[in-house]
Amino acid sequence: MTRAFNFNAGPAAIPLEVLKQAQEQFVDYKGAGMSIMEMSHRSALYEQVNNEAQALLRELFGIPDNYHVLLLQGGASTQFAMLPLNLLRPGKPGAYVMTGAWADKALKEAKLVGDTVVAASTEADKFMRMPSMSEIVVPGNAAYLHLTSNETIGGTQFAEFPDTGDVPLVADMSSDILSRPIDVSKFGVIYAGAQKNLGPSGVTVVIIRDDLVKESPKTIPAMFRYETHSKSSSLYNTPPSFSVYMVNLVLQWIKDKGGVTQVEQYNRDKTKLIYDAIDQSGGFYNGCAQPQSRSLMNITFRIQSEELEKKFVKESEQEGFVGLKGHRDVGGLRASTYNAVPLESCQALAQFMVDFQKRNG
């Protein structure tokens, strides 16, 4: 079978080694005579998978002991609401950094729950950059400061994070978690849907500091309280067991690759190939994001005309490339180069871009 050059924005590429391992274990997991999908989530075998996934995430991401690792459902979109439900209080607004479509969705959900303020916005620049640290103004009475570490649609990414003092820093890292080392202790909450860098869709990781877990109000339903899930080690209700199993395999794959530091260098090597094809094209290709805010995960670019862009997509698909059409809201072109996208795929895309320019420049 020929594997596609998969540049989908999400659900996205999963390491081939992981897919093959899952294939081998699919019908009979560790001699149990059944698939992991068929097992009780109260069984010793599944509890081992659940515990391993949490432990590996702690190890790879350097998560301190005073944080809980939760494996939840509902995607990051549920976290847009769950976060303010748990942390907003009267007189303490949620502060939001507006950097694009996903930050906007998070803000809109929070507005339904309580008071909010915009701490910084790059809308004037069409969200083609991230704000500088000096642009972010955090009210002293804020319940938290929320930011989106990587905007998949615009192709922008925070290169550094603000020091928010006593105000908890919250990050939606759905599209760049484990793509680079970060200091988790700077954050009160980190959350991420799995389907871009951690595995298949269906499970959402929440990393949350102890003191913030204890703030869960008893007035919201149990399923929406962080405390509920922290007390039960993410086994309060039936978990997305196959997705958790796959995340565990992906985390082991990252460890085998040498950890997050090695993965970051691999990502930089991959994306440089494509950014170089853009920057060395003499204006045939134009990068969308401002250079200092360019993402390592989502490379957005345009060609001189929409007709050429359509031709680029059509010809790329004929050559085995998948997912290069830009988001429907902004158009253009986008290559998502998440952790599991192989270097060879990026080499092939860079070469295709050079060849396409020769034929159409």
Side-chain angles (χ1 to χ4, degrees):
M1 182 190 71
T2 302
R3 294 276 291 168
F5 298 124
N6 185 355
F7 290 96
N8 276 324
I14 292 175
L16 182 58
E17 301 96 313
V18 167
L19 294 173
K20 286 181 174 178
Q21 185 176 350
Q23 183 182 43
E24 290 172 7
Q25 298 179 329
F26 189 73
V27 174
D28 183 8
Y29 180 70
K30 293 193 173 180
M34 64 182 116
S35 171
I36 191 96
M37 290 190 293
E38 302 173 276
M39 281 180 196
S40 165
H41 61 293
R42 306 295 180 196
S43 67
L45 269 180
Y46 180 73
E47 283 198 23
Q48 182 182 8
V49 169
N50 179 67
N51 295 339
E52 273 182 12
Q54 294 179 41
L56 271 172
L57 194 57
R58 283 188 181 279
E59 177 186 347
L60 292 168
F61 220 25
I63 300 172
D65 291 341
N66 63 322
Y67 285 73
H68 293 275
V69 176
L70 311 179
L71 303 172
L72 308 181
Q73 299 179 61
S77 294
T78 294
Q79 291 307 308
F80 295 162
M82 193 166 170
L83 180 86
L85 282 169
N86 280 265
L87 299 185
L88 280 190
R89 297 290 181 274
K92 298 191 72 176
Y96 283 75
V97 182
M98 287 299 301
T99 52
W102 295 109
D104 184 53
K105 288 183 178 182
L107 175 61
K108 284 176 178 174
E109 292 294 273
K111 284 181 176 179
L112 299 174
V113 178
D115 294 332
T116 61
V117 295
V118 174
S121 175
T122 55
E123 186 174 9
D125 293 303
K126 298 181 179 178
F127 297 127
M128 287 300 110
R129 69 176 182 90
M130 290 299 194
S132 66
M133 298 302 98
S134 61
E135 290 176 88
I136 301 173
V137 180
V138 187
N141 67 332
Y144 55 81
L145 175 73
H146 179 284
L147 58 80
T148 307
S149 60
N150 184 83
E151 286 279 1
T152 59
I153 294 176
T156 58
Q157 185 178 33
F158 274 98
E160 58 179 324
F161 298 104
D163 181 354
T164 55
D166 293 334
V167 176
L169 178 59
V170 176
D172 173 3
M173 291 191 180
S174 292
S175 52
D176 67 347
I177 192 169
L178 291 184
S179 66
R180 55 182 173 168
I182 66 158
D183 182 356
V184 174
S185 69
K186 284 187 173 183
F187 297 83
V189 184
I190 294 169
Y191 63 89
Q195 67 273 12
K196 301 175 189 292
N197 254 1
L198 295 176
S201 58
V203 61
T204 304
V205 168
V206 176
I207 302 163
I208 180 168
R209 210 170 58 212
D210 284 353
D211 58 304
L212 299 178
V213 169
K214 293 169 185 173
E215 291 188 16
S216 294
K218 301 296 188 288
T219 53
I220 59 175
M223 274 296 290
F224 294 103
R225 293 202 298 267
Y226 290 126
E227 187 180 37
T228 300
H229 302 285
S230 66
K231 284 182 174 178
S232 60
S233 189
S234 301
L235 295 173
Y236 173 73
N237 67 322
T238 307
S241 53
F242 189 74
S243 294
V244 173
Y245 157 77
M246 289 294 289
V247 165
N248 190 36
L249 296 186
V250 171
L251 293 172
Q252 187 61 59
W253 175 82
I254 292 172
K255 184 176 180 178
D256 292 344
K257 287 286 182 185
V260 178
T261 301
Q262 291 300 314
V263 165
E264 180 188 24
Q265 187 57 54
Y266 187 58
N267 287 330
R268 292 191 181 281
D269 293 342
K270 292 186 312 189
T271 53
K272 185 178 187 299
L273 293 166
I274 302 169
Y275 280 126
D276 282 352
I278 294 169
D279 294 340
Q280 295 168 12
S281 69
F284 182 82
Y285 300 108
N286 287 295
C288 297
Q290 293 186 16
Q292 73 276 13
S293 296
R294 280 178 165 177
S295 170
L296 284 177
M297 299 284 98
N298 310 97
I299 301 169
T300 52
F301 57 103
R302 303 297 303 244
I303 312 180
Q304 295 134 334
S305 71
E306 287 191 21
E307 280 186 24
L308 271 180
E309 288 176 349
K310 289 177 182 176
K311 186 179 181 184
F312 182 96
V313 171
K314 184 177 180 181
E315 291 188 10
S316 71
E317 288 173 348
Q318 292 169 350
E319 295 297 320
F321 294 92
V322 176
L324 292 175
K325 188 176 180 180
H327 191 276
R328 61 185 178 276
D329 288 347
V330 296
L333 301 161
R334 172 175 61 178
S336 295
T337 53
Y338 301 123
N339 287 353
V341 175
L343 178 69
E344 293 76 17
S345 292
C346 296
Q347 290 170 331
L349 176 56
Q351 187 58 55
F352 174 81
M353 291 170 70
V354 170
D355 294 343
F356 185 85
Q357 181 181 351
K358 285 179 182 176
R359 296 193 307 273
N360 297 278

